[in-house]
Amino acid sequence: MARLRGRGAHQGDVELAASLIRVGRGTDSELAIDDPAISRLHARIHCEAGVWHIEDCESTNGTKVDGATLRPWTPLVVNHGSVIEFGRAVTYDFLLSEAERAGGVAATIRQVAKKEVRLTPTEGEVLELLFVHYDEGRAAPRLATLSEIAQRRFTSTAAVKMVLQGLYDKCDLFDDERNKETLAMRVQQWSLTRTRY
């Protein structure tokens, strides 16, 4: 089983027993870190098809992997031995079990299950507008807000919300997964839109 091995004041192993681990100062996080440098929801670590990813959740003090600062809401594959730093305050080593490294699903191979989804022209347009700040070459791109999408489509935010609800259904997103960030990640994994980095 994959685990995080803490350094310094946070020594000890944390097993990643679920496929989605929220990291943050909030008590509802699977990995709760009581440190003022850590945001309430700081980052997420998740596993899909045997491949572990980490993404920064627009934290105040950022997340680094092997010294490189992550862009918010942009998943990055983590490998055995990767060093993860949350908020310049807490450092963990990401470790895979021997079985995962030797015989199980290789963590270095990207294996994302793809699904064929039929999108309406409106759904396709809303998805493209969701990434408009990436396409315009901004230095620190982010996902578009509902009002920004509505303005570009000359419609209401309520109409955009209705389109997003249909996209959540088509992309198999349920309960707390039904948000723009998870949708953006899913549609890129399923190649419903071109990849933006």
Side-chain angles (χ1 to χ4, degrees), residues 56-191:
D56 182 81
C57 299
E58 246 177 317
S59 63
T60 303
N61 294 309
T63 304
K64 290 185 177 182
V65 175
D66 295 327
T69 302
L70 300 185
R71 290 172 112 180
W73 307 114
T74 304
L76 176 77
V77 174
V78 285
N79 299 304
H80 178 73
S82 290
V83 178
I84 302 171
E85 187 179 344
F86 299 110
R88 302 187 304 271
V90 182
T91 304
Y92 288 94
D93 295 306
F94 177 81
L95 305 172
L96 295 171
S97 67
E98 277 189 49
E100 288 172 310
R101 283 178 294 172
V105 177
T108 54
I109 300 173
R110 186 174 180 86
Q111 299 179 14
V112 178
K114 291 186 180 176
K115 185 175 175 182
E116 190 171 326
V117 176
R118 289 178 184 255
L119 300 177
T120 67
T122 300
E123 289 170 338
E125 184 182 354
V126 167
L127 277 184
E128 291 303 313
L129 289 173
L130 188 62
F131 294 98
V132 69
H133 297 306
Y134 286 82
D135 297 338
E136 291 175 347
R138 291 196 175 195
R142 60 172 173 78
L143 296 177
T145 64
L146 294 181
S147 60
E148 288 171 334
I149 295 171
Q151 285 174 356
R152 290 190 184 231
R153 293 199 72 245
F154 302 102
T155 186
S156 66
T157 54
V160 174
K161 282 182 184 178
M162 285 180 57
V163 175
L164 287 175
Q165 292 303 319
L167 286 166
Y168 296 150
D169 292 337
K170 288 185 176 183
C171 292
D172 297 339
L173 299 177
F174 305 100
D175 301 325
D176 60 343
E177 294 180 321
R178 294 173 79 90
N179 57 64
K180 291 185 306 172
E181 291 75 22
T182 308
L183 175 66
M185 192 168 45
R186 180 66 52 86
V187 298
Q188 291 200 31
Q189 289 169 343
W190 286 2
S191 299

Side-chain angles (χ1 to χ4, degrees), residues 20-33 39-41 176:
L20 173 64
I21 307 292
R22 291 168 297 179
V23 180
R25 205 172 62 245
T27 54
D28 56 342
S29 297
E30 286 76 17
L31 176 53
I33 303 172
S39 297
R40 179 168 157 61
L41 175 58
D176 60 343

